[in-house]
Amino acid sequence: QGDDFETTAGVGYEIPPTTLTGSFSGVKQTCQTTCSVKGSLVMLNSTSSPVPPTRIRVFTSTNATYEAGIDILQSAPVTRLIKPGKSGKLKLAGTNATSLSGTFLLAVDDSDAVVGTLLIP
């Protein structure tokens, strides 16, 4: 975590329209007895003003659309504050009983908007 990426509790903020964009990078899956997925999610605040801390959750899905109650949560929610015009990186790591090839990773914000997607090869 650099100076532009701060951890915060994020309590008491009104949920704003989606102002963050995310892109997954370096995502790799390794399968033996179980399958592990590692990589990172780079979040960008392209606005010129502060955005309240935002909770990001990572799900797996059969498509690029978030469907509450259907998609599977893959990471504990992480709340971050990203300064205006800056980006921050979240490290991802998870283990599954089967391969995730052909499924999507979805980064979802507080308002349940998808801010980043990646199809796992």
Side-chain angles (χ1 to χ4, degrees), residues 45-113:
N45 175 0
S46 59
T47 68
S48 59
S49 58
V51 175
T54 302
R55 182 178 61 136
I56 301 295
R57 298 161 290 153
V58 177
F59 292 86
T60 52
S61 178
T62 57
N63 56 51
T65 304
Y66 173 64
E67 298 168 283
I70 296 174
D71 296 333
I72 300 168
L73 182 66
Q74 294 294 320
S75 70
V78 177
T79 302
R80 296 287 194 239
L81 171 68
I82 302 174
K83 295 179 182 179
K86 302 295 181 178
S87 63
K89 185 184 285 190
L90 300 173
K91 291 184 181 181
L92 307 172
T95 303
N96 288 293
T98 60
S99 173
L100 292 175
S101 293
T103 62
F104 287 84
L105 284 179
L106 307 178
V108 179
D109 71 5
D110 288 322
S111 62
D112 289 342

